[in-house]
Amino acid sequence: MRTTPPSRTRQGRLARLLTALAALIGLAVLGALCPAAALAQSPGTRAATGLHISDGRLLEANGNDFVMRGVNHAHTWYPGETQSLADIKALGANSVRVVLSDGHRWSENGPADVANVVAQCKANRLICVLEVHDTTGYGEDAAAGTLDHAADYWIGLKDVLAGEEDYVIVNIGNEPWGNTDPAGWTEPTVAAVKKLRGAGFQHTIMVDAPNWGQDWQGVMRADARTVFDADPTGNLIFSIHMYSVYDTAQEITDYLNAYVDAGLPILIGEFGGPADQWGDPDEDTMMATAEQLDLGYLAWSWSGNTDPVLDLALDFDPSRLSSWGERIFHGADGIAQTSKEATVFGGGAPDDTEAPSAPGKPTVTAVTDTSVTLGWSASTDNTRVTGYDVVRVGDGAETPAATSTTDSVTVSGLTADTAYTFAVYARDAAGNRSARSATVDVTTRDGGGTPGTTCAVTYRVVGEWPGGFQGEIAVRNTGTAPLTPWTLAFTFPDGQTVTNMWGGTATQTGGAVSVTPASYTATVPAGGTVTLGFTAAKGAANTAPAAFSVNGTACA
């Protein structure tokens, strides 16, 4: 097992030397995941059309080694949160894995939507991994879709994705097999890869492991060479998801080194750090080993989780990173410390030390009780302005408020009837930051809700299937003091019945539901939000509750 990996520039030469030596002396090289595969050869080098695999590494078209340092973003459930891509980039990420739906389980993300996601990724200089989430847990979760259906979805997007090989990786399906007969994963994975190649896709293809992505029974590890060799282009990368199964350093290093020693490409396509009911993942070893071996990682996930301990940013606000978010972006081996932007985006000259000019004084173009929209005249730069950072100013200090790649932005998550002061900085491709703009003062509108109301509730259906659905309830504290303890009450009109809930405990009598919080949602800070997720049984109709109350008081 390699303890000190070759550098990125040496690794390709070493792999080619070992392969040639094995051919000359008839011996197996380090490199197989199982003895029978030890003599297998990788497909020959092809003419690169964009991101591609060579000698077990992910490279750009120019041959530059590209190591993903990014996060996952749940676009299909939060299609209005495209500002998140700019926020993720502003924190240093070089890539983002975007959750999409092929329409089997959730509302399909159509060609126009996907084209916009790709355009937003490119505008924010992020490599974009697109994945279908409907396949999650197939074989164990009856609502999950097949890899074949996901492949058909990608083929339907071929016109959108053609020509984007420099910027887009196609992750066929998220965690496409549960814990039931995980050996069944291999054949449909091979078939889906061949289907996409037969349709003319030249993109790097990413495949997730069975066992809900964690491969704890080793099926992907054993069959990786078979799957890789089934791709006639050799342009395929494996993705392992690391959660509580990976709670010791030995498990993590053994798994990742097995692929590296075999010359097979792999990254950590999802991982979590906070402990859960199944264990405590060792995220420190995951990140340190990925950095040691020059492997990519994509943390789960930006915001909007029904289990909020996994939110990197609270309420999609980049200025409110959770402890998990601080670990990923600013901790040891984290994104800020290790991320390098893809060279396909150009970038400033190495000796560029000239800062952009200061943006113009912001103007206020729209105000609500919880948000303000600001605009300003653009900055100029000797190379190129790549973005703007909006800050709140007060008491001699600055607080990050929003980021933008254009000359306007909406700052959300504000408190009603409250005065704020904002200013703007510009930054260029080399990371130089301008002087601060002049400040602008603005007061948010009065909330105008029901007198005495200190809460607002948002309810939505995340996905439906015959006889059941998944829902989400966001409880926002619109008051000026923390809300604790609290009890949420509402009534289902069509006989829906809660079967499972996370973030709280539901008690139901007929259609009436009462919810008490979990320990981690027990306090809702002033201006803050907690999110509850649940699954429920339903009949033919699924009408949303008409009203909600907290502690007996009606909510907006």
Side-chain angles (χ1 to χ4, degrees):
M1 184 176 295
R2 184 181 303 139
T3 54
T4 305
S7 69
R8 295 177 191 173
T9 55
R10 291 175 52 220
Q11 186 159 12
R13 293 197 297 271
L14 179 61
R16 286 189 287 271
L17 177 60
L18 291 173
T19 302
L21 184 60
L24 286 172
I25 64 177
L27 297 176
V29 197
L30 284 175
L33 294 178
C34 57
L39 296 177
Q41 299 291 317
S42 298
T45 303
R46 65 183 180 87
T49 57
L51 289 162
H52 63 284
I53 301 299
S54 178
D55 292 325
R57 304 293 304 165
L58 177 63
L59 307 180
E60 295 186 70
N62 63 3
N64 186 69
D65 205 59
F66 182 68
V67 180
M68 282 189 244
R69 289 285 183 267
V71 304
N72 287 261
H73 171 54
H75 171 75
T76 197
W77 303 308
Y78 301 98
E81 296 290 348
T82 52
Q83 172 63 31
S84 294
L85 298 175
D87 296 337
I88 290 165
K89 176 62 179 183
L91 287 164
N94 64 14
S95 47
V96 62
R97 182 171 178 256
V98 180
V99 177
L100 301 176
S101 172
D102 65 4
H104 175 84
R105 187 168 184 175
W106 296 285
S107 297
E108 179 179 337
N109 297 100
D113 185 27
V114 175
N116 181 58
V117 167
V118 173
Q120 291 290 327
C121 284
K122 292 167 68 175
N124 288 293
R125 305 162 75 86
L126 291 164
I127 295 300
C128 198
V129 180
L130 302 177
E131 62 102 342
V132 163
H133 215 75
D134 307 64
T135 56
T136 306
Y138 181 81
E140 186 173 349
D141 188 335
T146 65
L147 281 171
D148 187 63
H149 189 274
D152 287 339
Y153 171 73
W154 293 120
I155 292 170
L157 292 172
K158 185 179 177 184
D159 289 345
V160 170
L161 300 179
E164 302 293 352
E165 292 86 354
D166 281 312
Y167 307 96
V168 172
I169 292 172
V170 175
N171 189 178
I172 307 178
N174 181 69
E175 301 178 2
W177 211 271
N179 292 325
T180 303
D181 185 28
W185 166 90
T186 305
E187 184 177 345
T189 300
V190 166
V193 171
K194 289 183 175 180
K195 192 169 194 176
L196 291 181
R197 294 306 185 209
F201 276 74
Q202 294 297 313
H203 303 71
T204 299
I205 288 176
M206 185 181 294
V207 296
D208 284 8
N211 295 126
W212 299 87
Q214 297 198 81
D215 200 29
W216 59 269
Q217 291 175 284
V219 171
M220 186 171 82
R221 178 171 172 171
D223 291 351
R225 177 63 68 185
T226 297
V227 174
F228 187 81
D229 288 347
D231 182 357
T233 70
N235 193 13
L236 181 146
I237 187 169
F238 296 96
S239 173
I240 182 66
H241 294 182
M242 289 186 164
Y243 292 99
S244 52
V245 166
Y246 295 91
D247 56 0
T248 69
Q250 193 69 47
E251 290 167 325
I252 295 162
T253 56
D254 282 355
Y255 195 92
L256 296 177
N257 272 290
Y259 289 79
V260 173
D261 290 341
L264 288 169
I266 191 167
L267 84 160
I268 307 174
E270 284 185 21
F271 68 105
D276 58 26
Q277 60 186 306
W278 295 285
D280 187 3
D282 183 1
E283 70 275 13
D284 291 341
T285 298
M286 296 175 201
M287 297 168 71
T289 305
E291 178 63 12
Q292 178 199 21
L293 299 176
D294 282 340
L295 302 179
Y297 65 65
L298 300 166
W300 186 275
S301 85
W302 177 243
S303 197
N305 288 284
T306 49
D307 184 355
V309 298
L310 287 171
D311 281 357
L312 297 161
L314 305 179
D315 298 326
F316 295 93
D317 185 347
S319 69
R320 298 171 59 210
L321 293 182
S322 66
S323 57
W324 175 225
E326 290 289 349
R327 173 71 188 91
I328 289 299
F329 287 105
H330 301 132
D333 302 307
I335 286 173
Q337 186 181 98
T338 65
S339 175
K340 294 183 180 180
E341 186 176 89
T343 60
V344 70
F345 295 116
D351 58 351
D352 178 14
T353 59
E354 182 177 334
S357 64
K361 179 179 179 177
T363 58
V364 179
T365 59
V367 182
T368 72
D369 57 335
T370 60
S371 69
V372 298
T373 301
L374 306 173
W376 53 87
S377 57
S379 299
T380 58
D381 187 58
N382 65 315
T383 56
R384 185 169 64 88
V385 174
T386 57
Y388 296 91
D389 301 320
V390 179
V391 295
R392 291 201 303 253
V393 182
D395 297 326
E398 295 180 355
T399 303
T403 61
S404 177
T405 57
T406 66
D407 54 4
S408 66
V409 73
T410 297
V411 183
S412 58
L414 306 179
T415 303
D417 196 24
T418 302
Y420 292 92
T421 300
F422 294 100
V424 185
Y425 291 92
R427 48 188 159 75
D428 65 16
N432 300 307
R433 203 182 198 199
S434 73
R436 195 176 79 184
S437 74
T439 60
V440 63
D441 297 323
V442 58
T443 299
T444 51
R445 296 187 184 278
D446 189 324
T450 304
T453 297
T454 57
C455 57
V457 171
T458 301
Y459 175 94
R460 73 186 188 100
V461 173
V462 175
E464 289 191 70
W465 54 91
F469 70 101
Q470 179 179 335
E472 180 182 277
I473 303 171
V475 180
R476 180 172 177 80
N477 179 3
T478 59
T480 58
L483 182 59
T484 186
W486 59 266
T487 300
L488 172 72
F490 61 92
T491 300
F492 278 125
D494 296 321
Q496 301 99 316
T497 304
V498 175
T499 55
N500 185 39
M501 177 171 280
W502 47 99
T505 301
T507 303
Q508 185 166 355
T509 303
V513 181
S514 176
V515 180
T516 55
S519 59
Y520 56 85
T521 59
T523 299
V524 189
T529 301
V530 298
T531 303
L532 313 173
F534 66 92
T535 55
K538 70 174 183 68
N542 191 21
T543 308
F548 296 84
S549 66
V550 169
N551 295 342
T553 301
C555 296

